[in-house]
Amino acid sequence: MEVVNALGRRKRAVARVFVSEGTGKITINKRDLAQYFPSTILQYVVKQPLNKLEVAEKYDIKVNLYGGGFTGQSQALRLAIARALVKINPEDKATLRSEGFMTRDSRSVERKKPGQPKARRRFQFSKR
């Protein structure tokens, strides 16, 4: 099997994933998964598609990850891994879609409007 690549995005985070056959090692920006995401919750989020298909020990995953915060990065990585797994085996798409791993979460930060402190927050109104 050759190397399969895929892209995942969430908010400002972008994850480029390279999946090859191996022993289940996930390397993010030349660091181990546990070192890059110390939180066990974020590690769980990243591994969700692998665990759902029960292929966690079957593939080595190399990741280039940039932008955003740690939650957005972990969710971008989850999407990228799911897309790569579908490229490897298209029959898995229905399973991953039913869990919501194939859907790109398009929500991002709303822009700040001029004359206001934030996107929707207005300055305090004074009648007099």
Side-chain angles (χ1 to χ4, degrees):
M1 178 196 132
E2 75 285 346
V3 176
V4 175
N5 64 333
L7 186 75
R9 292 193 182 97
R10 170 75 169 96
K11 291 187 173 182
R12 302 291 298 180
V14 180
R16 289 179 196 282
V17 165
F18 303 93
V19 179
S20 58
E21 281 189 18
T23 58
K25 194 173 188 321
I26 300 175
T27 311
I28 306 168
N29 295 349
K30 298 178 182 171
R31 289 173 21 208
D32 190 55
L33 173 69
Q35 195 181 359
Y36 194 87
F37 291 123
S39 165
T40 52
I41 295 161
L42 297 179
Q43 290 174 30
Y44 171 76
V45 166
V46 167
K47 289 180 179 176
Q48 274 179 314
L50 298 167
N51 293 336
K52 182 68 183 171
L53 299 175
E54 296 168 1
V55 293
E57 271 71 60
K58 199 174 172 187
Y59 300 113
D60 278 348
I61 301 173
K62 213 170 135 259
V63 185
N64 292 339
L65 192 54
Y66 62 91
F70 45 84
T71 304
Q73 285 189 345
S74 66
Q75 291 171 4
L77 181 49
R78 178 176 70 182
L79 175 62
I81 289 171
R83 284 178 172 173
L85 291 173
V86 167
K87 276 187 182 177
I88 293 166
N89 186 4
E91 286 95 65
D92 294 334
K93 188 169 185 175
T95 311
L96 292 172
R97 181 165 295 292
S98 68
E99 293 292 315
F101 301 147
M102 294 302 297
T103 308
R104 165 35 164 134
D105 192 344
S106 61
R107 294 176 297 169
S108 61
V109 179
E110 192 175 331
R111 77 177 189 88
K112 185 194 168 299
K113 315 298 186 307
Q116 295 173 204
K118 290 169 83 176
R120 303 218 174 170
R121 175 88 179 97
R122 307 288 205 272
F123 288 114
Q124 187 171 352
F125 175 73
S126 172
K127 200 171 202 175
R128 281 173 199 87

